[in-house]
Amino acid sequence: MEAGKVCSSNSVLQARRAVEQLRLEASLERIRISVAATQLVQYCQEHGRSDPLLTGIAASSNPFKDKKTCVLL
Amino acid sequence: MGEMDQMKKEAEGLKSQIEAARKAAADTTLADAASGVAPAPRVQLKTRKTLKGHLAKIYAMHWATDCRLMVSASQDGKLIIWDAFSGNKINAVPLKSSWVMTCAYAPSGNLVASGGLDNMCTVYNLKTPVVKTVKELDAHTGYLSCARFLSDTEILTASGDTTCALWDIETGKQKTVFLNHVGDCMCLALSPDMNMFISGACDSLAKLWDIRDGTCKQTFQGHTSDINAISFFPSGNAVVTGSDDCTCKMYDLRSDQEVISYQDAQLNSGVTSLALSVSGRLIFAGYDDFNCNIWDSLKGEKVGVLSGHDNRVSCTGVPQDGMCVCTGSWDSFLKIWN
């Protein structure tokens, strides 16, 4: 048996795996980008109002903002 | 024809089939479809906190689900648990190996994990009087680039050995190995419904996996270099990637292809990290050029920048409630912005 045969049976296995994977991916049903994009836009629009980084956060409700405290003397 | 030649021919045929099917679905781009949408406002965020404490480059950070605590990992050999509201350190966990590349917070808040050039994922219990090592997950034959907990009993890892794996933390064994990438796996992200995950690798591909049956469902091409960062769009129907090719891209899962690219002719630094705001409208992407650029995800335009670090931004994270964005850097600091 040629030394090359051991290496080539690995390549054969790899090639078989690659083909099987491609068969799986080829069988996928794809939707048109226009449909997908509409849904992505819709999601952003629906959730935009409750996105603090988009709408901004009031200083009084910002847990990360350092609060300046008043001391009663 | 030999078997190899036959398979080569079949592979070429299937690739053409896939390309044709994708082309047929490509009736527009996301930017064109969003042309009627008002542009996102100019985003100007302020640094609210600078977290100082690490003594070397920060490589990773991850928010806890309470949106207040977070964990960071640095090559000073420590994990630090921070209270981001006060800026105080809650815990410092010394690492056996200082060559850390990733850290993760379990959804319960009970555990954290780290991993890196030691090829292992180490899980720690934060709730014992002194932080204890729960398990060392040792089976990868390459560095650990990313880890994410599914629960206190299961964790997903991505490795430089080109595989991803699902582990049973209690037994310390791999339940499933995800094989398909041909380059080092650099990042992973869990789908919102936790049934799938997506990985990015040095083979410039992103792959979608079914966690339970272990199969690769979809492969996304387009990048021309290593994919260093990956995240799901909050609806779970799309994925955003960041690469050494200096671009970020969004791929829609159901169209099975790229729908928009985020790039600028003047930007010639690789993307190291990324995070999305809760609506998915804003993408915070960290770059090698010390900045974090903010992109309008629908229009592909830059709407802001977070400048303030003195070295590469290596990690970015937005907590579940979306109240801020955290950036971590090789300058050893973490910054909280909103």
Side-chain angles (χ1 to χ4, degrees), chain A residues 45 54, chain B residues 34-42 281-282 296 298-299 301 303:
Chain A
Q45 306 283 64
L54 258 186
Chain B
S35 57
V37 176
R42 200 64 229 156
R281 188 66 194 267
L282 300 176
D296 176 336
L298 299 179
K299 293 193 171 273
E301 293 159 357
V303 294

Side-chain angles (χ1 to χ4, degrees), chain B residues 105-145:
Chain B
Y105 225 121
S108 65
N110 295 329
L111 310 172
V112 287
S114 68
L117 296 182
D118 59 356
N119 296 2
M120 292 196 307
C121 179
T122 308
V123 178
Y124 309 87
N125 187 340
L126 294 177
K127 301 297 182 173
T128 44
V130 176
V131 174
K132 261 173 63 180
T133 300
V134 167
K135 247 337 182 265
E136 284 175 343
L137 306 172
D138 192 359
H140 278 301
T141 55
Y143 58 82
L144 206 85
S145 53

Side-chain angles (χ1 to χ4, degrees), chain A residues 23 25 34 39 51 62 64, chain B residues 10 27 49 219 277 279:
Chain A
R23 276 190 203 141
E25 293 182 12
S34 53
Q39 296 187 6
D51 184 338
N62 188 347
F64 301 102
Chain B
E10 190 178 351
D27 57 348
K49 290 280 182 306
T219 300
S277 70
S279 66

Side-chain angles (χ1 to χ4, degrees), chain B:
Chain B
M1 221 191 284
E3 193 185 355
M4 277 302 279
D5 291 326
Q6 260 184 322
M7 288 197 288
K8 241 188 213 164
K9 193 160 180 257
E10 190 178 351
E12 292 311 308
L14 288 165
K15 282 184 192 161
S16 304
Q17 210 184 302
I18 292 170
E19 215 193 299
R22 283 179 176 154
K23 261 211 177 99
D27 57 348
T28 186
T29 62
L30 177 55
D32 285 341
S35 57
V37 176
R42 200 64 229 156
V43 180
Q44 281 166 321
L45 305 182
K46 295 204 172 94
T47 303
R48 300 297 175 188
K49 290 280 182 306
T50 297
L51 306 179
K52 303 181 187 189
H54 280 300
L55 304 170
K57 294 175 175 169
I58 291 171
Y59 275 80
M61 62 81 44
H62 194 214
W63 283 97
T65 51
D66 69 1
C67 308
R68 174 173 186 150
L69 298 181
M70 37 172 271
V71 61
S72 60
S74 162
Q75 292 204 345
D76 63 3
K78 295 244 172 5
L79 288 185
I80 296 182
I81 314 296
W82 307 86
D83 171 353
F85 285 7
S86 61
N88 293 335
K89 299 176 205 33
I90 306 297
N91 254 314
V93 183
L95 303 173
K96 253 192 194 167
S97 162
S98 61
W99 304 112
V100 65
M101 294 175 70
T102 186
C103 60
Y105 225 121
S108 65
N110 295 329
L111 310 172
V112 287
S114 68
L117 296 182
D118 59 356
N119 296 2
M120 292 196 307
C121 179
T122 308
V123 178
Y124 309 87
N125 187 340
L126 294 177
K127 301 297 182 173
T128 44
V130 176
V131 174
K132 261 173 63 180
T133 300
V134 167
K135 247 337 182 265
E136 284 175 343
L137 306 172
D138 192 359
H140 278 301
T141 55
Y143 58 82
L144 206 85
S145 53
C146 193
R148 285 293 177 257
F149 285 92
L150 282 140
S151 66
D152 280 2
T153 54
E154 287 183 313
I155 192 167
L156 268 171
T157 55
S159 170
D161 67 11
T162 78
T163 72
C164 295
L166 174 68
W167 303 75
D168 178 327
I169 296 173
E170 282 164 354
T171 63
K173 299 271 182 277
Q174 289 179 331
K175 283 165 117 162
T176 313
V177 181
F178 302 91
L179 292 165
N180 212 266
H181 277 296
V182 295
D184 302 14
C185 292
M186 298 304 294
C187 52
L188 71 89
L190 270 170
S191 66
D193 69 8
M194 309 263 274
N195 292 327
M196 315 281 272
F197 77 94
I198 192 108
S199 60
C202 292
D203 56 14
S204 71
L205 303 173
K207 285 180 182 283
L208 178 71
W209 308 84
D210 182 315
I211 293 180
R212 298 304 155 192
D213 73 21
T215 57
C216 171
K217 296 298 185 199
Q218 286 175 250
T219 300
F220 302 98
Q221 310 156 298
H223 280 297
T224 53
S225 188
D226 306 356
I227 294 176
N228 299 315
I230 200 159
S231 182
F232 268 91
F233 183 82
S235 68
N237 289 331
V239 148
V240 181
T241 53
S243 165
D244 271 349
D245 68 11
C246 315
T247 75
C248 294
K249 288 178 188 294
M250 184 185 295
Y251 296 91
D252 186 280
L253 299 187
R254 288 151 329 143
S255 302
D256 186 45
Q257 59 190 293
E258 179 182 328
V259 294
I260 191 167
S261 189
Y262 308 97
Q263 58 193 83
D264 195 301
Q266 281 140 353
L267 268 176
N268 45 25
S269 307
V271 179
T272 60
S273 51
L274 67 87
L276 272 59
S277 70
V278 289
S279 66
R281 188 66 194 267
L282 300 176
I283 298 172
F284 297 90
Y287 290 74
D288 287 344
D289 71 358
F290 311 179
N291 289 325
C292 179
N293 289 314
I294 311 174
W295 297 91
D296 176 336
S297 67
L298 299 179
K299 293 193 171 273
E301 293 159 357
K302 216 172 87 164
V303 294
V305 66
L306 303 176
S307 301
H309 283 294
D310 296 321
N311 206 323
R312 179 184 289 199
V313 173
S314 55
C315 49
T316 346
V318 172
Q320 247 170 227
D321 64 3
M323 287 292 281
C324 69
V325 53
C326 177
T327 52
S329 167
W330 278 11
D331 68 9
S332 80
F333 304 121
L334 295 139
K335 286 178 184 286
I336 309 282
W337 314 74
N338 67 15

